[in-house]
């Protein structure tokens, strides 16, 4: 194998490049990235970068010296539109064909948008650096009223940042309990209460019927008939895996690129990593996309081993890990909060918003959640027990 093309200049894509070189691959590596930016760190986009405390250069995941050592040919600002495994080509939007012997799919996901909002100024999503730059400019412009639609982690972080900038913020969530799917009902309520702790409005159990405004948004109409005045609207309503370009390639797609435990797809010589990859996780045993920073780095090493050895190589059964910073509270979660797993507070208390809880299923610790207790969290996450270790097919 003398050429590998990585489609997606993301953390997952860069992690795979690093792993390929670390594991001894000395052939050609081409990285195709739809964005014009070199790989950058996404978590600060909703926090320090959005607040204006970081510039774009501080987000860079690598530097010129490292990229020279990695010896990568970058095609940035280029969108892949077709994969033809038989011809061993990746076709770009401009018509160029990149010939390659293997492909790493690292195209990630795109933010879902609210229907009927095209061309309406003041309406934002937050997924890319360009998204964050546009939203930051408006948040810092003095427009006072912000409505965030969706109380997931990204929506909550944006609300927290806007509040710290002194803006009037309201969060709208269709579910009765935000974050219930990720944390369970009890802890979802606790984390959602961070909004009310800081005077941020949280409206649960109601959806959005539409936006008001002629040219620029002026309000949000809820499904219960209420209207929220708004100068800025941020839609945090989830993402969609970026797989459209794979149509007709033979790569199986089902809420992401379907992979085995070694990140191998249904097409030989094609692997997938990061938010776009739907793999059986070696800790949870579930076949799912895991949109975590840590998973993107771990999958890069796994995919590189699979490509270079020709045999799917399962990753270690490490507990998935995620963190979120909201209202100066560090929320950390490791493991998988499966149905029936109940949390027990083992240190601190809920009212102080400083505690650690362990989720157990049949007396087995399967997940740990911590608010502002990083040391205890790091110790307890090492005690978690995998649900199952999937076989590599």
């Amino acid at each position: 194998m003398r050429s590998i093309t990585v489609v997606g200049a993301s953390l997952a894509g860069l992690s795979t490049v690093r792993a390929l070189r670390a594991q001894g691959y000395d052939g050609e590596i081409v990285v195709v990235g739809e964005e014009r930016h070199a790989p950058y760190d996404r978590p600060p986009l909703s926090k320090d970068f959005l607040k204006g405390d970081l510039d774009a250069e501080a987000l860079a995941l690598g530097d010129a010296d490292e990229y020279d050592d990695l010896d990568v040919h970058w095609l940035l600002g280029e969108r892949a539109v077709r994969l033809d495994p038989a011809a061993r080509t990746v076709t770009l939007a401009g018509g160029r064909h990149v010939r390659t012997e293997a492909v790493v799919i690292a195209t990630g996901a795109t933010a879902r948008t609210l229907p009927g909002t095209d061309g309406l100024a003041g309406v934002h999503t937050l997924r890319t650096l360009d998204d964050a730059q546009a939203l930051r400019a408006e948040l810092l412009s003095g427009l006072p009223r912000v409505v965030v639609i969706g109380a997931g982690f990204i929506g909550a972080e944006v609300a927290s940042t806007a509040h710290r900038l002194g803006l009037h913020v309201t969060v709208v969530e269709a579910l009765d309990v935000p974050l219930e799917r990720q944390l369970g009902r009890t802890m979802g309520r606790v984390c959602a209460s961070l909004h009310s702790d800081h005077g941020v409005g949280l409206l649960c159990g109601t959806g959005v019927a539409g936006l008001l405004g002629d040219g620029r948004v002026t309000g949000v109409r809820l499904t219960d008939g209420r209207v929220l005045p708004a100068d800025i609207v941020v839609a945090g309503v989830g993402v969609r895996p970026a797989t459209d370009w794979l149509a007709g390639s033979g790569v199986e797609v089902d809420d992401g690129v379907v992979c085995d435990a070694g990140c191998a797809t249904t097409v030989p010589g094609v692997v997938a990593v990061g938010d776009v990859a739907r793999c059986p996780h070696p800790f949870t045993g579930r076949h799912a996309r895991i949109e975590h920073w840590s998973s993107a780095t771990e999958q890069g090493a796994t995919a590189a081993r699979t490509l270079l050895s020709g045999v799917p190589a399962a990753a270690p059964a490490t507990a998935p890990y995620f963190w979120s910073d909201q209202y100066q509270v560090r929320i950390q979660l490791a493991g998988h909060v499966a149905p029936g797993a109940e949390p027990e507070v083992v240190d601190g208390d809920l009212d102080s918003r400083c505690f650690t809880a362990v989720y157990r299923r049949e007396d087995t610790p399967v997940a740990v959640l911590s608010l502002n207790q990083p040391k205890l969290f790091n110790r307890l996450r090492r005690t978690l027990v995998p649900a199952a270790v999937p076989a590599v097919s």
Side-chain angles (χ1 to χ4, degrees):
M1 190 184 303
R2 300 307 306 163
S3 63
I4 297 175
T5 298
V6 179
V7 184
S10 56
L11 169 64
L14 178 59
S15 296
T16 308
V17 170
R18 287 167 169 164
L20 286 167
R21 293 304 191 208
Q23 294 176 33
Y25 176 70
D26 60 1
E28 180 186 42
I29 299 178
V30 176
V31 176
V32 178
E34 183 172 357
E35 296 183 61
R36 56 191 171 85
H37 310 289
Y40 58 87
D41 204 16
R42 292 185 190 275
L45 293 182
S46 56
K47 300 181 279 289
D48 290 341
F49 180 83
L50 196 59
K51 189 153 54 73
D53 291 347
L54 288 180
D55 57 20
E57 288 73 20
L59 303 178
L61 289 170
D63 56 32
D65 289 340
E66 182 192 13
Y67 292 154
D68 284 345
D69 291 340
L70 289 174
D71 190 20
V72 174
H73 181 46
W74 298 93
L75 298 177
L76 300 178
E78 297 274 8
R79 180 168 58 90
V81 295
R82 185 167 183 263
L83 170 63
D84 186 339
R88 295 184 177 181
T89 59
V90 174
T91 303
L92 307 183
R96 178 177 178 178
H97 300 286
V98 179
R99 292 192 57 83
T100 187
E101 295 182 51
V103 172
V104 179
I105 301 170
T107 43
T110 58
R112 296 186 183 275
T113 58
L114 297 173
T117 59
D118 289 346
L120 191 61
V123 181
H124 298 264
T125 58
L126 181 56
R127 181 71 183 177
T128 69
L129 177 55
D130 290 343
D131 292 340
Q133 288 173 326
L135 178 55
R136 181 169 76 171
E138 293 219 317
L139 292 178
L140 297 177
S141 70
L143 295 169
R145 301 170 300 183
V146 180
V147 174
V148 178
I149 301 172
F153 286 113
I154 294 299
E157 289 175 357
V158 171
S160 169
T161 299
H163 169 73
R164 291 193 68 188
L165 290 172
L167 306 180
H168 180 275
V169 185
T170 304
V171 181
V172 178
E173 171 58 55
L175 299 176
D176 291 332
V177 179
L179 302 173
E180 181 176 3
R181 182 175 64 84
Q182 297 90 340
L183 306 179
R185 199 168 185 85
T186 299
M187 292 304 168
R189 283 198 179 104
V190 172
C191 289
S193 67
L194 291 172
H195 297 296
S196 56
D197 288 351
H198 293 82
V200 170
L202 175 61
L203 305 178
C204 294
T206 185
V208 173
L211 303 188
L212 307 178
D214 182 10
R216 183 174 182 91
V217 68
T218 58
V220 177
R221 186 183 301 280
L222 304 181
T223 52
D224 62 11
R226 284 179 290 178
V227 173
L228 304 176
D231 302 298
I232 301 169
V233 172
V234 184
V237 291
V239 298
R240 181 177 60 84
T243 57
D244 291 350
W245 68 286
L246 297 171
S249 67
V251 173
E252 184 180 358
V253 173
D254 181 8
D255 184 33
V257 175
V258 178
C259 305
D260 64 17
C263 297
T265 73
T266 50
V267 174
V270 179
V271 298
V273 293
D275 292 356
V276 75
R278 184 167 174 259
C279 306
H281 194 278
F283 182 91
T284 67
R286 298 169 61 244
H287 208 123
R289 292 188 305 109
I290 297 182
E291 301 169 18
H292 294 174
W293 196 96
S294 56
S295 293
T297 58
E298 292 164 359
Q299 286 180 343
T302 299
R305 285 195 300 272
T306 295
L307 276 184
L308 297 183
S309 68
V311 178
T318 304
Y321 167 62
F322 178 80
W323 78 94
S324 177
D325 293 317
Q326 304 172 27
Y327 304 103
Q328 296 181 293
V329 173
R330 169 61 61 95
I331 302 170
Q332 294 174 285
L333 175 70
H336 172 55
V337 181
E342 293 296 328
E344 176 191 357
V345 175
V346 297
D347 193 80
D349 63 89
L350 302 183
D351 291 340
S352 71
R353 312 297 189 239
C354 181
F355 67 88
T356 298
V358 175
Y359 294 80
R360 291 185 173 88
R361 188 176 55 191
E362 298 177 354
D363 295 326
T364 299
V366 295
V368 58
L369 171 71
S370 178
L371 271 63
N372 279 347
Q373 290 194 337
K375 290 184 179 179
L376 180 57
F377 172 84
N378 287 329
R379 177 165 63 83
L380 291 179
R381 67 187 286 199
R382 294 191 289 268
T383 69
L384 301 179
V385 177
V389 179
V392 179
S393 58

